[in-house]
Amino acid sequence: MNHQELAVSRRTFLGGATALAASTLMPHLARAADAAPNSKFNGVQIGVITYSYRSLPGSAEDLLKYILQCGISSVELMGGPAEQFAKAATGGKDDGKSLGDWRLSASMEGFKALRKMYNDAGVNIHIVKFGDIGNPGMPDEQIEYYFQVAKALGAGGITRELSDEAAQRLGPLADKHEIMIGFHNHTQLTPTTYDGEILSHGKYLGINLDIGHYVAGTNQSPLPLIEKHCDRILSLHIKDRKVNNGPNMPLGQGDTPVALVLQYMKRNQLTFPADIELEYKVPEDSDAVQEVTKCVQFCKQALLA
């Protein structure tokens, strides 16, 4: 880990980002309800994974409200709320079918309606998370269903956890559908993991790189990994953690060079999204919407510097 780089990251951006974040909480600066959100700053798309709002009511409609309050225009949507919305929209809410049975005959109309609701509000669903896609024993029909859902939502990718076994099974299917599978990491990722075979099973296998977990697990900057594999990155997860498996921290207060990563994306015109994943403890006098808004402002400050 280059501690001089990290120090620059924190010194340069923490003060300004904190001030900007505080200003966003003032009522007179609240975004008008009918104003389309725009969280692309200097060519870098800042988004959010809807897991960040897990402490709040979590319907698809609730999530859209939070996303708009944060001024975010692109999201990684968790599969659960998407399926709940689609099931209700197509009359399957109380039909007595198990979720597994429903999936095998589900209409895509509910997912198309969900996409329209988000798109009409100015929000793009760039990724849907189905964390179990390709797990051992999963029927082929369910995997096919997941790909069809991604298409109906307008998503370019599906995220799940790192798995060599899943990569072998999903590689040919991802290529067939031209929908990327993005493998998410915790602290098990090493600088050479993706030099192995995992991405060799299909050209649509890719990386959902969690930069905070990577720093905590390796004590190294994620910039070399991003540079090496930028053509296979589906998205980043933006969070700040301390080295040596340290805790999650507000952006700018840990050891993850968040600002430097975002500036690298800007400088090299990298177009994959950088999605905020709120995992640090929400202060008692705040909530997830306020904290994600602070994260957006930190990223904006870094990208406009």
Side-chain angles (χ1 to χ4, degrees), residues 16-264:
T18 302
L20 273 173
S23 74
T24 65
L25 305 182
M26 298 179 183
H28 70 279
L29 292 180
R31 190 183 60 80
D34 58 350
N38 182 9
S39 55
K40 180 178 280 190
F41 309 117
N42 266 337
V44 178
Q45 179 65 63
I46 300 300
V48 66
I49 179 171
T50 56
Y51 172 77
S52 299
Y53 304 113
R54 64 196 175 279
S55 59
L56 301 170
S59 72
E61 296 92 336
D62 289 326
L63 293 170
L64 179 58
K65 178 179 67 176
Y66 310 146
I67 292 161
L68 294 174
Q69 288 173 344
C70 295
I72 292 172
S73 52
S74 196
V75 300
E76 177 183 349
L77 180 64
M78 300 294 287
E83 290 188 310
Q84 291 161 12
F85 179 93
K87 194 172 184 181
T90 55
K93 186 175 182 180
D94 299 311
D95 61 5
K97 284 187 177 182
S98 70
L99 180 58
D101 290 341
W102 177 81
R103 284 169 171 159
L104 298 183
S105 60
S107 165
M108 292 296 110
E109 293 308 309
F111 296 105
K112 291 176 182 178
L114 176 56
R115 175 184 180 177
K116 185 177 188 303
M117 181 175 74
Y118 274 57
N119 289 176
D120 286 352
V123 178
N124 174 50
I125 302 171
H126 57 250
I127 297 169
V128 59
K129 178 152 192 152
F130 287 120
D132 62 346
I133 188 171
N135 277 0
M138 177 171 288
D140 292 341
E141 294 83 0
Q142 184 171 337
I143 296 176
E144 181 70 19
Y145 158 82
Y146 283 153
F147 279 112
Q148 294 302 328
V149 170
K151 290 179 182 179
L153 292 173
I158 301 170
T159 47
R160 62 149 294 134
E161 299 304 310
L162 265 171
S163 166
D164 288 306
E165 185 177 4
Q168 292 181 48
R169 187 176 184 191
L170 293 173
L173 297 172
D175 287 355
K176 180 184 79 170
H177 289 286
E178 298 185 345
I179 295 289
M180 185 172 278
I181 298 294
F183 292 109
H184 176 265
N185 62 281
H186 286 84
T187 55
Q188 82 278 39
L189 185 65
T190 73
T192 60
T193 296
Y194 287 116
D195 296 338
E197 295 184 356
I198 187 168
L199 299 183
S200 70
H201 302 292
K203 64 181 181 179
Y204 277 84
L205 295 180
I207 303 168
N208 166 222
L209 177 60
D210 189 308
I211 63 173
H213 290 331
Y214 181 80
V215 166
T218 65
N219 295 352
Q220 296 185 38
S221 168
L223 283 167
L225 191 70
I226 294 170
E227 182 177 14
K228 183 189 294 186
H229 297 292
C230 61
D231 61 331
R232 299 297 286 267
I233 294 177
L234 172 64
S235 65
L236 302 184
H237 275 181
I238 299 298
K239 65 164 65 80
D240 198 348
R241 283 189 66 178
K242 293 281 192 178
V243 296
N244 297 316
N245 285 301
N248 291 291
M249 303 292 292
L251 297 190
Q253 297 183 31
D255 292 321
T256 308
V258 176
L260 294 180
V261 166
L262 295 173
Q263 289 185 332
Y264 179 87

Side-chain angles (χ1 to χ4, degrees), residues 3-17 252 259 298:
H3 290 284
Q4 184 176 6
E5 275 191 350
L6 299 182
V8 170
S9 173
R10 288 195 296 273
R11 241 190 348 260
T12 305
F13 300 105
L14 179 57
F298 180 97

